[in-house]
Amino acid sequence: MKKGNPIRQFSVVTTLVFILLITAASPAWGMHIMEGFLPLSWAIFWWVLALPFFVLGIRSLSKTAREHPELKLLLALVGAFSFVLSALKIPSVTGSSSHPTGTGLGVVLFGPSVMTVMGSLVLLFQAVLLAHGGLTTLGANVFSMAVVGPWVGFGTYRFGMKIGREKLGVFLAACFGSMATYLMTSIQLALAFPAASGGIFASFTKFAGIFGLTQIPLSVSEGLLTILVWNWLRSFASEELRILKLLKANT
């Protein structure tokens, strides 16, 4: 990466700190679906469902690292970005929380399969080091944040690129990837804990509605933040973006 302009770097860091300040106030129980919260049968089900995507992601990540070792620093960046943003937590319902996911940037740079691996590592470290999430529920958290979110984000990014709106695509990848994660989490909780009256649909409506109060503005904020980081990368990591074919050679 090229040495950056300190003023522009400061603006990016300031924005990150601002997001941290407005979202960090939460009690200790707020987290991804927490350890032991899901019934064992559902915990196993989501593990089994997530593993094939993780295996495909390992292959994609290995290929990228083997063919372009100079991109390892950028890989570390997207992992750190996701780790910091998804470690923030705003309580929404007992057993889970709302927070940014940070996966949109990695999806734009490396695609959804690589981000499945990076997101899984982020969730693992958070569960072990921060008690943020859990090991038994890791499969469920991976499937929502590192599988469904990235793939939805990738689809919306491709839509933005198809209509020739690069920054819109980056925004959509982050915003809709984050929203999809929480819709999936709502489905997971609804399946595990159907309402006594109205069943799974009523339970999903309850979880999704409560999540939406915090997740919609968070997702929009995450989209705007991701655009800022993308602009920074265009200025100071243009060589890496050309390798990824995200910038033209004469840009």
Side-chain angles (χ1 to χ4, degrees):
M1 294 186 183
K2 295 185 290 185
K3 185 177 180 180
N5 184 314
I7 296 177
R8 292 190 180 183
Q9 290 180 336
F10 177 77
S11 67
V12 173
V13 173
T14 301
T15 304
L16 283 167
V17 172
F18 176 74
I19 296 296
L20 286 169
L21 289 175
I22 65 173
T23 58
S26 61
W29 55 262
M31 55 185 67
H32 308 281
I33 299 178
M34 64 184 178
E35 184 67 64
F37 192 73
L38 290 178
L40 181 60
S41 58
W42 281 111
I44 293 174
F45 173 80
W46 295 114
W47 264 102
V48 171
L49 210 59
L51 278 174
F53 291 94
F54 184 80
V55 172
L56 290 174
I58 285 288
R59 292 179 180 177
S60 181
L61 178 61
S62 298
K63 181 180 179 182
T64 299
R66 183 176 62 253
E67 295 180 353
H68 302 290
E70 65 273 25
L71 296 178
K72 290 181 180 179
L73 184 60
L74 203 55
L75 282 166
L77 172 66
V78 300
F81 185 74
S82 181
F83 183 90
V84 170
L85 290 193
S86 62
L88 307 175
K89 49 203 179 207
I90 295 179
S92 289
V93 293
T94 300
S96 194
S97 69
S98 285
H99 52 73
T101 64
T103 59
L105 180 65
V107 166
V108 170
L109 294 173
F110 296 105
S113 292
V114 169
M115 206 56 216
T116 293
V117 178
M118 302 302 292
S120 298
L121 293 176
V122 164
L123 288 164
L124 176 61
F125 282 125
Q126 289 178 351
V128 173
L129 300 177
L130 304 178
H132 189 40
L135 296 178
T136 60
T137 56
L138 184 61
N141 290 328
V142 165
F143 192 78
S144 61
M145 192 182 106
V147 176
V148 172
W151 277 101
V152 170
F154 182 71
T156 54
Y157 169 68
R158 295 301 299 171
F159 168 76
M161 294 302 293
K162 183 173 289 187
I163 63 175
R165 302 291 298 275
E166 177 188 81
K167 292 183 180 179
L168 176 63
V170 173
F171 173 83
L172 293 176
C175 182
F176 280 84
S178 180
M179 286 300 302
T181 294
Y182 280 90
L183 287 175
M184 190 66 238
T185 300
S186 298
I187 292 172
Q188 290 171 328
L189 293 173
L191 289 171
F193 305 105
S197 176
I200 293 172
F201 180 77
S203 183
F204 169 77
T205 301
K206 170 189 172 183
F207 285 122
I210 296 174
F211 276 136
L213 294 175
T214 50
Q215 197 57 37
I216 291 175
L218 272 178
S219 296
V220 172
S221 298
E222 181 178 346
L224 296 174
L225 175 62
T226 304
I227 289 177
L228 288 178
V229 177
W230 172 253
N231 289 339
W232 180 80
L233 289 173
R234 281 182 61 96
S235 297
F236 308 117
S238 56
E239 294 179 8
E240 288 84 351
L241 296 185
R242 290 190 189 99
I243 292 172
L244 293 167
K245 299 180 181 180
L246 296 174
L247 284 183
K248 296 179 180 179
N250 59 352
T251 302

